[in-house]
C-alpha cells in the first residue's frame, strides 16, 4: 500500500469515526464469510424491482402484480430459492440455485402488492427504504408498522437506500446525468462537509432502521447505483452487503459489496435473463 493511500485511509477512517460518534450508534458486526469464502455461492442473480401496480401502463421502474406473480412462479418452477442479505452476511448455508430479490425506494405497493405475493409463494425479498419518507409517514411509502409486520414474517428484510440522499432538492428524486447523484460528493466539497452531509445521513438511516425494527441492518442499495470512494469505508463497516445498478450476475465469493443486479421490467423474460 502506498504512503499516500495509507494517509487517505487514515483520514477517511477518522471522518467515519467522527460520524459514528455524532450519530451515537454502535457498528454492527457479522461473523459471516469473508470475500472468497468457499461457503458463498459462486454466482447469484440479484433481481432489481421498484414499484408494483395493480394494472395499467408501466415504466422501467414499475411492474404489475400479475407480472410479479408470474416471475415468482417461474423462479419456483425452475428450482430457484430466494435468500436474504443477512444470509449472505452470515455465510449460509445456501440452496443450489439461490436468487436475491431487491425492491428499491420503499413504495407502499411493496406492502400492498409484493408482500401478499411473497406470502403466497413463501419467497423472500429485501426492501431498501428511503428512511426519511418512512419517518414522515408519507402515504406512498411503507410505514414502520408495515416494516415490522413484514420483517416479523421472516420473508422480508429492510435495507437502507439512504436517509434523504436521493436527489430530492436538485432533481425531485430523479437521476442527474451531469451528477453528482446520491452519496457522491459535491464539487469542491471538503471531507468535513462530506462527513456531515453524507456519512451522518448514512449512519442515521442505519440507526433509524435498527431502532424501529430491533434487528441488525445488513443491506444498502446505492441510489442510482452511484458509488463514492469517500463513503466506501463507512458503508462497508455498517452494511455487510451492498448493491449497485450495474447490470450483471453477482459473484459473492469475490466480495459482498457493490454487487451488480439484473433489472426486471414488464418486458423482461426471466427465462431469457436467467436461462
Amino acid at each position: 500500500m502506498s504512503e499516500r493511500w495509507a494517509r487517505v485511509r487514515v483520514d477517511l477512517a477518522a471522518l467515519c469515526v467522527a460520524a459514528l460518534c455524532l450519530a451515537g450508534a454502535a457498528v454492527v458486526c457479522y461473523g459471516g464469510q469473508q470475500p472468497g469464502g468457499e461457503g458463498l455461492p459462486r454466482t447469484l442473480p440479484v433481481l432489481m424491482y421498484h414499484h408494483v401496480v395493480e394494472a395499467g401502463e408501466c415504466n422501467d421502474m414499475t411492474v404489475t402484480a400479475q407480472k410479479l406473480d408470474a416471475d415468482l412462479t417461474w423462479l419456483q418452477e425452475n428450482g430457484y430459492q430466494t435468500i436474504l442479505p443477512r444470509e449472505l452476511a452470515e455465510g449460509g448455508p445456501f440452496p443450489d440455485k439461490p436468487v436475491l430479490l431487491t425492491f428499491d425506494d420503499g413504495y407502499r405497493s411493496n406492502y400492498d402488492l409484493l408482500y401478499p405475493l411473497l406470502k403466497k409463494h413463501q419467497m423472500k425479498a429485501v426492501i431498501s427504504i428511503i428512511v426519511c419518507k418512512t419517518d414522515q409517514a408519507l402515504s406512498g411509502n411503507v410505514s414502520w408498522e408495515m416494516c415490522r409486520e413484514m420483517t416479523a414474517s421472516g420473508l422480508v428484510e429492510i435495507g437502507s437506500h439512504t436517509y434523504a440522499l436521493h436527489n430530492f432538492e436538485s432533481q425531485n428524486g430523479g437521476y442527474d446525468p451531469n451528477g453528482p447523484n446520491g452519496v457522491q460528493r459535491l464539487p469542491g466539497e471538503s471531507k468535513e462537509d462530506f462527513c456531515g452531509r453524507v456519512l451522518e445521513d448514512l449512519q442515521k438511516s442505519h440507526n433509524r432502521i435498527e431502532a424501529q425494527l430491533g434487528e441488525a441492518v445488513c443491506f444498502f442499495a446505492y441510489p442510482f447505483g452511484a458509488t463514492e470512494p469517500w463513503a466506501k469505508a463507512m458503508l462497508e463497516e455498517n452494511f455487510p452487503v451492498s448493491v449497485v445498478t450495474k447490470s450483471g450476475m453477482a459473484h459473492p465469493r469475490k466480495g459482498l459489496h457493490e454487487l451488480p443486479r439484473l433489472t426486471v421490467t414488464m418486458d423482461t423474460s426471466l427465462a431469457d435473463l436467467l436461462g
Side-chain angles (χ1 to χ4, degrees):
M1 180 184 295
S2 70
E3 182 179 351
R4 177 180 177 275
W5 177 238
R7 288 199 302 270
V8 171
R9 289 292 299 272
V10 170
D11 288 344
L12 291 180
L15 288 175
C16 290
V17 169
L20 294 175
C21 291
L22 287 169
V27 172
V28 176
C29 295
Y30 283 78
Q33 297 283 345
Q34 297 300 312
E38 290 300 315
L40 293 171
R42 290 185 181 277
T43 60
L44 175 69
V46 183
L47 303 186
M48 179 171 64
Y49 297 86
H50 289 76
H51 188 29
V52 187
V53 296
E54 286 280 9
E57 186 174 347
C58 295
N59 58 31
D60 287 346
M61 301 292 181
T62 308
V63 297
T64 64
Q66 182 179 21
K67 161 66 173 169
L68 181 57
D69 192 13
D71 285 352
L72 299 182
T73 298
W74 186 92
L75 289 169
Q76 286 187 316
E77 290 178 347
N78 286 273
Y80 285 93
Q81 293 178 266
T82 51
I83 63 172
L84 292 173
R86 64 170 174 260
E87 295 173 69
L88 281 174
E90 292 166 357
F94 300 100
D96 291 337
K97 295 178 72 175
V99 61
L100 177 59
L101 306 180
T102 68
F103 289 77
D104 289 4
D105 300 332
Y107 290 103
R108 168 68 184 252
S109 66
N110 293 172
Y111 177 81
D112 292 339
L113 299 175
L114 164 64
Y115 183 45
L117 290 175
L118 294 178
K119 290 190 289 185
K120 171 185 174 181
H121 292 275
Q122 283 300 289
M123 299 177 79
K124 307 171 187 176
V126 56
I127 300 171
S128 299
I129 63 174
I130 303 171
V131 180
C132 70
K133 291 191 172 187
T134 298
D135 265 352
Q136 294 167 19
L138 299 182
S139 61
N141 293 79
V142 292
S143 67
W144 286 121
E145 187 58 38
M146 293 172 191
C147 291
R148 282 189 283 270
E149 178 185 341
M150 290 190 290
T151 56
S153 73
L155 301 177
V156 173
E157 184 172 332
I158 300 298
S160 168
H161 205 36
T162 75
Y163 189 83
L165 293 176
H166 209 283
N167 291 11
F168 295 125
E169 294 182 2
S170 61
Q171 296 291 319
N172 195 30
Y175 176 75
D176 183 353
N178 298 314
N181 291 283
V183 303
Q184 292 180 323
R185 64 184 182 270
L186 302 174
E189 187 171 31
S190 69
K191 291 179 181 178
E192 290 76 14
D193 288 344
F194 180 83
C195 179
R197 183 179 66 86
V198 174
L199 300 189
E200 288 187 36
D201 176 287
L202 299 176
Q203 188 64 50
K204 185 175 182 180
S205 77
H206 180 285
N207 293 354
R208 290 295 295 145
I209 296 171
E210 186 175 64
Q212 287 291 326
L213 304 185
E215 61 183 32
V217 187
C218 180
F219 188 74
F220 181 79
Y222 282 88
F224 316 107
T227 60
E228 169 54 54
W230 284 9
K232 183 178 177 67
M234 186 272 186
L235 279 168
E236 293 188 1
E237 191 73 21
N238 279 264
F239 303 95
V241 183
S242 65
V243 294
V244 291
T245 58
K246 178 182 177 181
S247 182
M249 188 73 72
H251 299 275
R253 292 189 182 186
K254 295 181 180 180
L256 297 178
H257 291 102
E258 300 179 20
L259 299 176
R261 293 189 280 179
L262 300 167
T263 300
V264 181
T265 70
M266 287 297 294
D267 297 325
T268 302
S269 162
L270 292 192
D272 292 338
L273 193 65
L274 302 177

